[in-house]
Amino acid sequence: MKKPVKKPVLWVVVAALAVGTIACNKEQASEPESSPAVSTAPQSASAKKSALTKVTVTETEMAIKLSPTTVPAGPVEFVVSNKGKVPHEFVLLRTDLPLDKLPTKTGGKLDEKNKQLKAIAEVDEDDLKKGATKPLKVILSKGRYVVICNVDNHFEQGMKAALTVQ
Ligand SMILES: [Cu+2]
């Protein structure tokens, strides 16, 4: 009957491999990341208090109307009314893309996760049922924005509007 032969050599090899693997992983992890150039635009924090600008937002099937469509930088209050028959929502995004070039995904929705869009504020459809009015205050810096409704395929059907902050 043979005695079981111990193989300490094997363990050394395994240990060496393990160390090697860890070292490799470490090297990979420490590779410099390609910085995604996150530019947080400074809010226009002027010393003097800028006046609150009101924007009336009227949502219907299937349109969003802003009044006015150009506002000065600073505090803006959107007064969002659903004058339609079904729930809508109010999604404010910052983007340099023109209104007819916004990224979509299947189902007629705007692709809100697209890197060229930056979510700013939102009034959920639960708060914007038929006949509801919701105020929403935000501080906006200079730039181009869009307001859309992403309920079902409302976006594709025309629920989008451009806003310029100057
Ligand atoms: Cu809608």
Side-chain angles (χ1 to χ4, degrees):
M1 198 174 164
K2 274 189 201 167
K3 270 188 179 178
V5 182
K6 281 190 180 174
K7 294 177 181 166
V9 177
L10 181 65
W11 288 110
V12 171
V13 171
V14 169
L17 280 175
V19 170
T21 309
I22 290 163
C24 277
N25 285 345
K26 231 181 182 177
E27 244 169 64
Q28 274 173 358
S30 65
E31 256 175 42
E33 277 176 45
S34 54
S35 51
V38 179
S39 66
T40 37
Q43 306 277 25
S44 66
S46 49
K48 52 184 176 176
K49 255 192 181 172
S50 24
L52 181 70
T53 307
K54 263 197 184 181
V55 176
T56 304
V57 184
T58 309
E59 304 203 8
T60 53
E61 295 85 35
M62 295 289 177
I64 297 180
K65 260 175 69 180
L66 303 180
S67 179
T69 55
T70 301
V71 298
V76 176
E77 183 179 38
F78 294 94
V79 181
V80 189
S81 295
N82 180 356
K83 301 242 168 108
K85 295 183 175 70
V86 301
H88 292 295
E89 63 175 2
F90 170 95
V91 181
L92 176 67
L93 304 141
R94 185 173 184 160
T95 181
D96 284 323
L97 295 172
L99 211 51
D100 59 351
K101 292 281 194 297
L102 296 176
T104 51
K105 52 184 190 179
T106 47
K109 283 183 187 284
L110 177 78
D111 182 9
E112 292 182 54
K113 297 261 161 70
N114 186 286
K115 294 260 159 57
Q116 287 178 278
L117 305 174
K118 189 188 173 202
I120 304 293
E122 181 167 341
V123 178
D124 195 77
E125 65 181 294
D126 291 338
D127 296 323
L128 215 52
K129 296 197 170 113
K130 171 188 173 183
T133 295
K134 274 274 170 186
L136 178 68
K137 269 189 207 173
V138 285
I139 311 244
L140 297 180
S141 48
K142 281 184 190 179
R144 300 185 55 203
Y145 297 78
V146 292
V147 173
I148 67 113
C149 170
N150 227 7
V151 172
D152 299 330
N153 65 342
H154 294 187
F155 170 76
E156 191 180 52
Q157 291 190 58
M159 294 199 70
K160 53 186 174 181
L163 176 76
T164 305
V165 178
Q166 61 186 20

